[in-house]
Amino acid sequence: NTASSWITLFGWPDASCGRFILKTMICLALTLFSMGVCLQAQSLSEVTTGRTESGQLRYQLQVMERVFEEAVEHNARELASSMEGSTPGAARFMGPTRARGFRLDGYGLFFDMQIPVLRRSLSWVFRHLNRQAGPGHALRSLREHVRSLGDVDARDALEHALRSFESLAGLPPDNLPGRSFGAPPVDRPISSTTPSPPEVDPAEVYAVTIREALTNAMLDYTGLLPLAAEEWLTVATTGGDHADSVANESRALGLMLRVRGNVLIALRQGKMARSEALSRIEYSEF
């Protein structure tokens, strides 16, 4: 009946020809349906593969983010401990440590790092100024002015404040026991037991420490990152977002290190010495 209907519709003279045409159309329909199913399956497979690759890349970047964070935190703790032993209260760190990695098409991998802000203590600032201008020179000049005041109560209060500053700055008190605040000062050399200020700025040491920490991490722990030979691996640091970070900005708050993928590949394959790989890392400040 179906064949007859097709024959009537298309006007074919015999039933065998109609049946042939019908079978051909059915085969064609099944073929098109099968092709559609295959294309849809292929599309779903491509989407699934893309998601898998994207998820794998995100995982690898997250692992490396944590490596960079731990490298900075560990070295900052070591620096704080060593500075506390030689110069108590010289510096302290504020703010979190965060890293975020990205793939940039046509460039490579980029890691943006927020590192703690180094705040030099007031004690270190006073001692550093004293080292530049001479021990206690500024405070002694100020004391001479205070002792010229006629108001005894105000003079005594300011003398007390100056003594606190001297203690904070690591200087011996200017007045000797048994002498009144109004007595003239006696010039004498600074005691040899007075702790000397650090030879270098803590910010300078911090910058070098962060640079070494990130450099070692780039060479030692980036082997699993999908980085081609011609691509770059870049790490850039910025300071914290505290309101007072600008006033306490240190050199370590704007560092950028980058290295070509072929250097890391050659290092992993044993074709390049570590010392040469270190020399290939480009370093700049901003």
Side-chain angles (χ1 to χ4, degrees):
N1 293 334
T2 303
S4 300
S5 299
W6 281 96
I7 293 171
T8 303
L9 178 62
F10 292 99
W12 288 308
D14 55 64
S16 61
C17 181
R19 284 193 294 271
F20 173 77
I21 297 297
L22 178 61
K23 290 179 180 179
T24 301
M25 295 181 66
I26 292 174
C27 291
L28 179 61
L30 291 174
T31 301
L32 293 175
F33 176 77
S34 300
M35 290 178 61
V37 172
C38 291
L39 290 174
Q40 184 177 10
Q42 182 180 359
S43 177
L44 290 174
S45 177
E46 291 176 353
V47 171
T48 303
T49 302
R51 289 178 178 176
T52 301
E53 292 177 353
S54 177
Q56 180 67 15
L57 174 61
R58 184 65 249 159
Y59 170 74
Q60 292 169 330
L61 292 177
Q62 286 176 343
V63 170
M64 201 62 216
E65 288 166 1
R66 188 54 193 149
V67 169
F68 283 133
E69 291 171 355
E70 181 58 30
V72 169
E73 292 173 356
H74 172 75
N75 283 271
R77 288 193 298 266
E78 292 290 322
L79 175 61
S81 177
S82 63
M83 292 180 65
E84 187 66 24
S86 59
T87 312
R92 59 194 179 101
F93 298 97
M94 296 184 63
T97 304
R98 296 194 186 100
R100 181 70 174 173
F102 307 90
R103 168 165 283 285
L104 303 178
D105 293 336
Y107 179 81
L109 301 178
F110 182 89
F111 287 85
D112 176 34
M113 285 211 62
Q114 177 181 335
I115 63 176
V117 176
L118 173 65
R119 295 197 61 186
R120 290 164 290 192
S121 68
L122 186 60
S123 172
W124 185 91
V125 172
F126 270 105
R127 294 168 67 178
H128 184 66
L129 291 175
N130 287 332
R131 184 183 184 89
Q132 292 180 331
H137 176 75
L139 289 178
R140 288 180 180 178
S141 298
L142 183 58
R143 173 171 277 105
E144 291 177 2
H145 173 72
V146 169
R147 285 170 175 164
S148 67
L149 298 177
D151 189 332
V152 177
D153 293 336
R155 185 179 63 206
D156 290 349
L158 289 174
E159 280 281 358
H160 180 73
L162 286 174
R163 292 173 63 186
S164 299
F165 275 118
E166 285 177 329
S167 176
L168 182 63
L171 296 173
D174 194 60
N175 59 294
L176 296 173
R179 219 178 63 202
S180 65
F181 286 151
V186 177
D187 291 331
R188 62 184 184 278
I190 300 298
S191 172
S192 59
T193 60
T194 302
S196 59
E199 294 293 332
V200 295
D201 189 336
E204 299 283 343
V205 182
Y206 186 44
V208 174
T209 299
I210 294 300
R211 176 182 174 180
E212 292 179 350
L214 295 178
T215 297
N216 290 329
M218 292 172 71
L219 294 183
D220 296 336
Y221 300 104
T222 55
L224 297 179
L225 291 178
L227 190 69
E230 70 280 2
E231 293 182 324
W232 289 97
L233 170 64
T234 301
V235 181
T237 69
T238 56
D241 54 1
H242 294 277
D244 58 348
S245 62
V246 175
N248 295 280
E249 185 178 3
S250 71
R251 287 180 54 201
L253 299 186
L255 307 180
M256 180 175 290
L257 300 93
R258 68 174 191 165
V259 63
R260 284 279 190 186
N262 58 3
V263 174
L264 299 177
I265 294 173
L267 178 65
R268 290 197 301 269
Q269 295 176 349
K271 299 178 180 179
M272 181 180 293
R274 183 181 178 85
S275 57
E276 183 178 354
L278 283 171
S279 67
R280 298 287 190 90
I281 296 180
E282 299 182 8
Y283 167 77
S284 61
E285 300 179 16
F286 59 93

